[in-house]
Amino acid sequence: MVDLLSFVLLSFSSILIVVNPLAATLIFVSLTGTMDQAAKLRVARDATRFALITLLLFTFAGGWILQLFGISIEAFRIAGGILLFGIGMDMVYAKTSRTKMTATEKYEGQDADDIAVMPLAIPMIAGPGAITSVIVLMNEAMATNGAMGMNIAAIAVVPLAAVTAIWITYYMMRNADIIVRRIGQREYRAVNRLMGMLLIAIAVQFIIVGIRTAFPILTGGIA
């Protein structure tokens, strides 16, 4: 039960931090500034719906996709940890990670007829970091050693965490005007840095586990 609780906390925290609903909301505000309220709500609904479909697709089919390309989960875990580490560093230094949205994508999105799919859903909400997280976490859930009930519970945790993160993002986008008025740049940077530190710690743990699994001989040397 303790292991399951730890996995629940890891899944919800890592996916929520990588999705970063607050950052997505601020980008949403900048891209929809000239739209009326009905259009904004439509963009928020479409963006989060498409992002959720993307995350659930990789949650359940990510392992098969890796096998198709001959990529081991250990290699993907290490690479994903490095990617999440970079995103966390950008958050600590109060920058928007280039893995989530480039300046060009943001500029082009302002003139696009439909910005919900690109760049909001991908890569802002369901970016490489979020996709990496759901694949690695689902693989860990399926490899859980325990009773059948605990295995099923662990497997259910990952999509539930993805749904929760996307729902929070949608809720914040719906109330973007209120949030922007109450949260200034100073508060946003403080929250972003704290979340970045947590993400860096999660990324390092991903790398440690990946190396320990790929190189069992090092098990005794890694705490």
Side-chain angles (χ1 to χ4, degrees):
M1 184 61 68
V2 175
D3 290 341
L4 179 59
L5 179 59
S6 299
F7 182 73
V8 170
L9 294 176
L10 173 64
S11 299
F12 276 82
S13 61
S14 58
I15 294 176
L16 185 60
I17 291 172
V18 177
V19 171
N20 200 343
L22 181 57
T25 300
L26 295 179
I27 296 296
F28 168 79
V29 170
S30 68
L31 293 177
T32 60
T34 59
M35 298 181 181
D36 57 32
Q37 189 62 24
K40 289 181 180 180
L41 293 178
R42 184 172 62 252
V43 169
R45 183 182 63 252
D46 292 345
T48 51
R49 180 174 57 189
F50 192 83
L52 179 60
I53 292 173
T54 301
L55 288 185
L56 291 180
L57 173 64
F58 280 96
T59 296
F60 294 107
W64 178 82
I65 294 173
L66 292 184
Q67 291 181 0
L68 181 64
F69 288 97
I71 302 173
S72 69
I73 190 62
E74 290 78 17
F76 194 80
R77 185 190 293 270
I78 295 171
I82 295 173
L83 173 63
L84 295 180
F85 185 89
I87 296 175
M89 288 294 292
D90 283 339
M91 292 172 67
V92 168
Y93 289 104
K95 297 188 296 183
T96 300
S97 173
R98 289 182 61 83
T99 62
K100 295 184 77 67
M101 178 185 290
T102 64
T104 301
E105 287 169 337
K106 181 178 179 180
Y107 174 77
E108 291 176 347
Q110 291 176 337
D111 296 326
D113 293 331
D114 186 8
I115 61 173
V117 176
M118 183 73 69
L120 276 177
I122 299 176
M124 189 62 220
I125 302 174
I131 292 172
T132 298
S133 297
V134 296
I135 292 177
V136 171
L137 289 169
M138 178 56 79
N139 179 82
E140 186 171 332
M142 295 179 68
T144 300
N145 293 321
M148 179 62 68
M150 181 172 292
N151 285 346
I152 295 176
I155 292 173
V157 164
V158 182
L160 181 59
V163 170
T164 301
I166 297 301
W167 183 86
I168 292 174
T169 303
Y170 174 68
Y171 179 81
M172 293 182 68
M173 284 183 173
R174 281 185 60 92
N175 298 277
D177 294 338
I178 299 175
I179 293 173
V180 169
R181 284 199 301 266
R182 296 188 177 183
I183 298 181
Q185 284 298 318
R186 181 181 301 178
E187 290 79 5
Y188 167 70
R189 286 195 295 268
V191 173
N192 214 42
R193 287 190 172 105
L194 177 60
M195 294 175 68
M197 287 297 297
L198 293 174
L199 185 58
I200 289 173
I202 292 171
V204 171
Q205 186 63 35
F206 274 18
I207 295 173
I208 290 175
V209 174
I211 293 176
R212 186 163 51 193
T213 305
F215 305 99
I217 195 173
L218 300 178
T219 302
I222 300 179

